[in-house]
Amino acid sequence: MNYKRIFLIVMDSLGCGALPDANLFGDEGSNTLKSCYESEYFNAPNLKKLGIFNIDNINCGEPEKHPIGTYAKLQELSVGKDTTTGHWEFAGLVSTAQMPTYPNGFPLDLMQKLEHAWGRGWLVNKPYSGTEVLLDYGKQHEQTGKLIVYTSADSVFQIAAHENIVPIEKLYEYCKIARQYLNGDHAVGRVIARPFVGTYPNYTRTANRHDYSLLPPSKTMLNYLQENNKKVISVGKIYDIFAGSGIDESYRTVSNQDGMEKTINLLDKDFEGLCFVNLVDFDAKFGHRNDIDGYAKAITEFDEQLGRFMQKMNKDDLLIITADHGCDPKTPSTDHSREYVPMLCYASNIKADNNLGTIKCFGAIAKTILQNFNINEQVLKGESFLNKIICR
């Protein structure tokens, strides 16, 4: 029996150990899962039951004696460690070149063109922590109306603005303009709107964030599903990551909890196809802020909702849980880390205590999902593991 509905949940940034080439990215020794596990606030019995601590060389946790799921770790083949390349690889596209990054800020001539197009000045233009940049420049932004432009180690162009100074829709307009200019050699993975509220020094970023991604360079798993009349539903920032390509309906979220509640509710929806979910808080709120306990608490909260999700699944549902990269909160860096990621599969007819070892290429997930729906394409990267997980 193949599956009618597949739920693919990405625990954004929950890596599980440094990749062999982590030294090229400055990420030797990173292990996001292990760092969180060592917190007193970590409690994940459902992930444990599925076999997360049975994954090869996971280096933390007590293995489950009788795991109820199939488990493995995935090795990214794309050059990079960011959200876009990771998710595109889940969908079958391997990026052979790293998207441009700007450790010294964006070129002045580009910024001058943007200033003219916006009709508004800018501040900063260098890598910065998203919370620290508000503390250091929020007051000046309020006084001058200039946009706070910053980046990170990732391929991103971020614009922060106070909602009382720059209305949300105006900020989105500025981001769309930037997206038009950021092409060719400057084709960053994402332009991100970062609205915030509050008064100095107590600024807080709001849930009105919006990402403007590049269109994938070719068809992805989502397009193939759609062309074969399978439903593609996105929850969280999946729609943004794929610039809407191949997605039938989407649900925005304001938190991990909101994202999981929406996903649990989608179990009541009758459809044939894929529900693709991104839970960004792990990364944005905790990994990037080096908040080990906060990250651990978020995993604990997710695990409770995961238990409810699993109880509600139909017999012809398949659940796949994974991550897109690491963001080890224990390292000095506040950026993503080049890590393996865990993969857990669960269904009523799944092979239990089934160790698939290390799977090279996130695209194995795309191949598995397409094979499940009898969609034959020869272009996407990866090898299907469908026949390795189903008890016939």
Side-chain angles (χ1 to χ4, degrees), residues 159-186:
I159 308 176
H162 197 292
E163 293 188 0
N164 291 344
I165 304 297
V166 181
I168 290 294
E169 292 304 322
K170 195 66 179 177
L171 177 58
Y172 293 166
E173 181 184 328
Y174 292 147
C175 288
K176 291 175 184 177
I177 291 171
R179 181 73 276 176
Q180 292 171 0
Y181 279 82
L182 290 160
N183 53 37
D185 292 340
H186 299 305

Side-chain angles (χ1 to χ4, degrees), residues 230-334:
K230 306 306 176 190
K231 193 83 167 178
V232 180
I233 300 171
S234 79
V235 178
K237 66 177 184 177
I238 298 297
Y239 184 93
D240 293 344
I241 292 167
F242 290 90
S245 179
I247 294 172
D248 294 303
E249 69 183 67
S250 64
Y251 297 86
R252 295 203 174 277
T253 61
V254 298
S255 65
N256 279 0
Q257 295 94 323
D258 181 45
M260 277 304 294
E261 288 302 322
K262 284 182 167 69
T263 305
I264 291 168
N265 291 338
L266 282 167
L267 285 167
D268 295 324
K269 186 180 181 69
D270 184 21
F271 69 94
E272 183 177 10
L274 172 68
C275 178
F276 198 171
V277 182
N278 176 279
L279 303 176
V280 72
D281 286 0
F282 299 115
D283 183 55
K285 291 186 177 179
F286 309 112
H288 283 299
R289 300 181 187 181
N290 286 354
D291 184 352
I292 298 172
D293 289 343
Y295 205 138
K297 289 176 183 178
I299 294 171
T300 298
E301 291 167 355
F302 165 77
D303 194 84
E304 185 277 326
Q305 290 177 293
L306 172 62
R308 290 164 46 213
F309 180 93
M310 291 165 59
Q311 290 177 354
K312 196 175 178 181
M313 288 172 63
N314 291 339
K315 290 183 178 180
D316 53 1
D317 290 338
L318 170 64
L319 169 64
I320 303 174
I321 301 171
T322 188
D324 53 343
H325 49 72
C327 195
D328 190 339
K330 198 172 185 178
T331 64
S333 169
T334 59

Side-chain angles (χ1 to χ4, degrees), residues 331-372:
T331 64
S333 169
T334 59
D335 294 317
H336 294 163
S337 41
R338 177 81 168 167
E339 298 185 47
Y340 291 102
V341 297
M343 185 189 73
L344 305 170
C345 301
Y346 178 72
S348 63
N349 65 337
I350 204 83
K351 288 182 180 178
D353 196 5
N354 182 26
N355 185 0
L356 299 185
T358 299
I359 297 174
K360 292 186 177 181
C361 189
F362 292 179
I365 288 177
K367 287 287 193 177
T368 299
I369 291 171
L370 293 178
Q371 183 185 3
N372 177 78

